[in-house]
Amino acid sequence: EYNRIILEKEALGYDVSDLQQEREALLEDIKTWKSKARLAGRDRDKLKKQLELKNAQYTLELAEKDQRISFLKSENDSLNVTSQELSQRGHVQGSIIEAQNEKIKIGSVLRAENIKVTMRTTKQKIVESQPFKAKKMEAIILHFNIAENNIAPFNKKEIAMRLVGPDGSVLFDLANGGGNIKTSQNETIYYTLKQNLLFDNTSQVMTFPYFKGSEWEVGAYQVQVYADGHMVGDTSFEVK
């Protein structure tokens, strides 16, 4: 179009140098813009490839992280299972140990054996046959021995005799050796007499003479033996 205008102006005798300069400038601008467009296209393609590469790298990294997270989760689940198993084993072992300790505790309780009661008369005669005659009784004597026990520790044991009368009351006198003890059930009870024994597992023999100090009531009497709060034996006798 510029060429047509220039030719028409030249035919009419006009000076067209300005138009020619404008045309050259316009053509140069067109070349510049075309070059920039080509460069922009190449840059766009390059940028697109870079973005595609980055996207591929990010996708790969995310996949690796997903695998790592899955692995760590699996390890954590495994550790949780192991921890639970160890806790259960520890609980079971603790229960077994506790049960064994309880068995040892029970097994270490002493036992009284060969328990019998004799009577001493006012004439210092020992009578074994029952029923005992109240008018002749001065005292009763409790006899027994401590059964062998290979579990019980060799130490001092508190042995108590508890004499229960026909009316169900315990015969005890604080001035004559009576008192109270705590049983293995944490109950406070009265006892009639008490002795300390250094246990040595030799079937030690023990005797408890009890002088009532007054006339004996007619009826059945119960005798209980306690060792460190556990009742370890009992017997009875009758008075007429």
Side-chain angles (χ1 to χ4, degrees), residues 83-96:
S83 177
Q84 290 174 359
E85 290 177 349
L86 289 174
S87 178
Q88 290 174 353
R89 289 177 186 175
H91 179 71
V92 171
Q93 290 176 348
S95 298
I96 292 173

Side-chain angles (χ1 to χ4, degrees), residues 2-239:
Y2 255 83
N3 288 334
R4 184 183 64 76
I5 293 172
I6 290 171
L7 289 174
E8 288 178 355
K9 291 289 185 179
E10 283 181 331
L12 295 173
Y14 286 100
D15 183 7
V16 294
S17 58
D18 291 339
L19 290 174
Q20 289 175 340
Q21 290 178 358
E22 289 179 4
R23 182 188 65 183
E24 293 300 327
L26 181 59
L27 290 173
E28 188 65 32
D29 287 341
I30 291 171
K31 289 179 181 179
T32 300
W33 284 108
K34 285 184 177 181
S35 177
K36 289 182 176 179
R38 285 194 299 274
L39 290 173
R42 288 196 296 270
D43 290 342
R44 184 175 61 252
D45 293 340
K46 183 179 179 181
L47 180 60
K48 182 179 179 182
K49 290 180 180 179
Q50 290 177 344
L51 289 173
E52 289 175 350
L53 180 60
K54 285 289 185 183
N55 185 56
Q57 290 176 343
Y58 288 148
T59 301
L60 180 61
E61 289 177 1
L62 287 174
E64 290 177 349
K65 287 182 178 179
D66 286 341
Q67 291 179 352
R68 180 64 176 168
I69 290 171
S70 178
F71 173 76
L72 291 174
K73 184 178 179 181
S74 177
E75 286 290 306
N76 185 60
D77 291 342
S78 177
L79 288 173
N80 285 337
V81 171
T82 303
S83 177
Q84 290 174 359
E85 290 177 349
L86 289 174
S87 178
Q88 290 174 353
R89 289 177 186 175
H91 179 71
V92 171
Q93 290 176 348
S95 298
I96 292 173
I97 292 172
E98 185 177 350
Q100 289 175 340
N101 288 338
E102 184 63 22
K103 287 181 180 179
I104 292 173
K105 182 179 178 181
I106 294 173
S108 65
V109 175
L110 300 183
R111 291 287 178 268
E113 60 183 10
N114 302 318
I115 305 172
K116 70 175 183 178
V117 177
T118 59
M119 176 193 77
R120 178 184 293 176
T121 69
T122 54
K123 296 182 178 181
Q124 306 303 302
K125 180 181 178 180
I126 301 299
V127 177
E128 294 187 5
S129 60
Q130 296 185 33
F132 301 140
K133 295 180 180 180
K135 292 182 178 181
K136 294 183 178 181
M137 290 177 67
E138 179 185 61
I140 59 102
I141 305 172
L142 175 67
H143 311 257
F144 61 90
N145 66 275
I146 301 296
E148 291 185 4
N149 188 320
N150 295 322
I151 299 177
F154 288 16
N155 56 15
K156 185 176 73 173
K157 309 294 184 182
E158 186 179 74
I159 312 298
M161 181 191 83
R162 191 167 187 254
L163 180 58
V164 183
D167 61 354
S169 62
V170 179
L171 280 66
F172 78 98
D173 185 347
L174 295 176
N176 292 317
N180 60 71
I181 57 171
K182 285 276 189 181
T183 69
S184 55
Q185 285 76 39
N186 201 34
E187 179 185 1
T188 300
I189 61 171
Y190 291 104
Y191 63 83
T192 307
L193 295 171
K194 185 177 72 172
Q195 297 180 25
N196 290 325
L197 171 73
L198 187 59
F199 177 72
D200 61 9
N201 202 28
T202 58
S203 297
Q204 291 153 285
V205 175
M206 301 194 74
T207 59
F208 283 80
Y210 176 66
F211 297 85
K212 189 171 181 294
S214 60
E215 188 174 341
W216 289 79
E217 295 180 14
V218 173
Y221 290 76
Q222 300 294 321
V223 184
Q224 300 167 349
V225 180
Y226 281 80
D228 291 338
H230 298 269
M231 193 173 81
V232 297
D234 65 294
T235 189
S236 63
F237 64 91
E238 188 172 352
V239 176

